[in-house]
Amino acid sequence: MKKIVVTGGAGFIGSNFVRMLLRKRSAAKVIVLDKLTYAGNLDNLAGLNKDKRFKFVKGDICNAKLLADILPGADIIYNFAAETHVDRSILEAGSFVKTDVVGTYTLLQKTLEYKVPRFLQVSTDEVYGSILKGSFRETDPIKPNSPYSASKAGADMLVRAFYKTYGLPALITRSSNNYGPFQHPEKFIPLFTTNAIEGMPLPLYGDGKNVRDWIYVEDNCRAIDLVGRKGKIGEVYNIGAGDEKTNVYIARKIMELTGADPSLLTLVSDRPGHDRRYSVATRKIKALGWSNKTAFDEGLKKTVRWYRQNENWWRPVRDGSFRKYYRKMYTGRLKEGRKL
Ligand code: NAD
Ligand code: DAU
C-alpha cells in the first residue's frame, strides 16, 4: 500500500485533494499533517476518520522532530501547508515567511534525510507577478509582489536548489485561483457568497476590474494528482482553466445566483500592491494528459449552491476571529466606499 503524506490537508484545496485520493486510489494510505491554523478545519475532513486508510496528525511542518515520525517510508509528499491569504500577509508577513519558507525548507531537509522518492510543492501562479497581456510560461522569471507570493517564491527557489544541489526528487505545480466547496469565507468568492446570503455589503477592491483565471478546485486536484504520478522530476507545471474573469463580473454573477440586492456592491479602497491580472500558459500540463472539465459559470453555480446548502459549515467559521479580522479589514473601508 502506498503511503502518501499531505501537509495542509485540513485546508481548502488539501481537503478536496485528500477526499479525491481516498476515492480514486484504493491502495493508498493518506496521512494528513496540519497545524490547524485559523484556515485549517477538521470539519473539512468530516467522515474520513472512519476510513482505515486515513490518519490525521495535528502539527507544524516547521517541527523537524514530528516530521521524523511521519516521513520515513512515505512514497510521496504533497506540500499544501502554507499561509495563503494575500490580505493577511499585508497585515503581518512573519507567519508567511515562517511556514511558507522555513516550513518548506524543513520538509525538504527531512525528505532528503529519509530519501522520500517524490516531493510535490504546491505553489501558485502569483509567484510570477502580474501580466497585462499574454500568459506566463514555466520558464519565465518569477517576480512576486506581495509578502505571500514572495514567501511562496522563496519556497519554490529552495525546492529548485534542493533538486539541483542534492538531486532531491521534487516537482512544483503553480495553479491559478481555486474556488469551490470548503474555501475559507475570507477569500473573495466565499466572502461575497456568504455576505450576499447575509445581506451584507460586497466590498470590491479598487475599480473591480482585476482579472484572475479561476479553476474549480476538483480540476486542480486532478492536475496535482497527475503531476504527482506522471510529472517529470525537477519540472514546474502551471495549472489554469483559462477562465479569466474580472472581479466585478464574478460579484454580479454571485448577486444573480443568491438574489442579493445590487446596492450591496460597494467599491472600497484597493489592496496595496494589488496584482492586476494573472495568467499562465498550460501547454505543459495538457501535454501530460490533463484538461479542464468545469467551465466557470457552471462551477460558480455549484459553489454558490454548496454554500447555500452548508450554512452549518461556514457559520461557525464566520464567528470569533473572523469577525475581528472582518472589522479590521472592512469597517472603515466600507464607510468610505461608494456604490457602483
Ligand atoms: P488554506 O489556507 O485553505 O489551507 C492551508 C492549510 O495549511 C490549513 O489547513 C492550515 O491549517 C495549514 N497550515 C498552515 N500553516 C501550517 C504549518 N506551519 N504546518 C502545517 N500546516 C499548516 O489554503 P489553500 O487555499 O487550500 O491552499 C493550499 C496550497 O495551495 C497553498 O500552498 C497555497 O499557496 C496553494 N495555492 C492556493 C491557491 C488558491 O487559489 N487557494 C492557488 C494556487 C496555489
Ligand atoms: O492566484 C492564486 C492565488 O489565489 C493563491 O495563491 C492564493 O492563496 C489565493 O488566496 C488567491 O489569491 P488572490 O489574492 O487572487 O485571492 P483573493 O480571494 O484574496 O482575491 C481574489 C480577487 O478578489 C483579488 O483581485 C482581490 C479581490 N477581492 C478580494 C477580497 C477578499 C476583493 O475585491 N474584495 C475582497 O474582499
Side-chain angles (χ1 to χ4, degrees), residues 86-103:
V86 173
D87 287 331
R88 281 190 184 251
S89 80
I90 295 167
L91 293 175
E92 183 275 318
S95 56
F96 288 73
V97 175
K98 201 159 177 221
T99 288
D100 302 7
V101 184
V102 180

Side-chain angles (χ1 to χ4, degrees), residues 25 68 87 92 113 133 137 239 256 262 266 281 290 312 321:
R25 314 246 165 277
D87 287 331
E92 183 275 318
E113 191 175 328
K133 277 194 188 139
R137 287 174 308 165
I239 303 169
E256 225 176 273
T266 312
W290 177 86
N312 57 343
S321 70

Side-chain angles (χ1 to χ4, degrees), residues 59-133:
D60 194 325
I61 57 166
C62 299
N63 182 344
K65 273 197 189 136
L66 180 61
L67 296 181
D69 292 338
I70 296 172
L71 300 194
D75 291 285
I76 184 163
I77 300 164
Y78 292 92
N79 184 26
F80 287 88
E83 288 293 339
T84 65
H85 194 174
V86 173
D87 287 331
R88 281 190 184 251
S89 80
I90 295 167
L91 293 175
E92 183 275 318
S95 56
F96 288 73
V97 175
K98 201 159 177 221
T99 288
D100 302 7
V101 184
V102 180
T104 303
Y105 158 74
T106 313
L107 267 177
L108 290 168
Q109 200 56 45
K110 289 289 154 191
T111 300
L112 202 61
E113 191 175 328
Y114 296 112
K115 299 187 171 51
V116 179
R118 241 165 142 76
F119 178 94
L120 190 147
Q121 172 68 5
V122 179
S123 185
T124 167
D125 64 354
E126 292 200 16
V127 297
Y128 295 113
S130 190
I131 187 166
L132 293 181
K133 277 194 188 139

Side-chain angles (χ1 to χ4, degrees), residues 84 124-126 148 177 188 203 205 212 247 271 274 330:
T84 65
T124 167
D125 64 354
E126 292 200 16
Y148 161 67
N177 284 61
F188 176 57
Y205 296 164
R212 299 288 183 264
N247 294 335
R271 168 188 281 177
H274 195 175
Y330 297 106

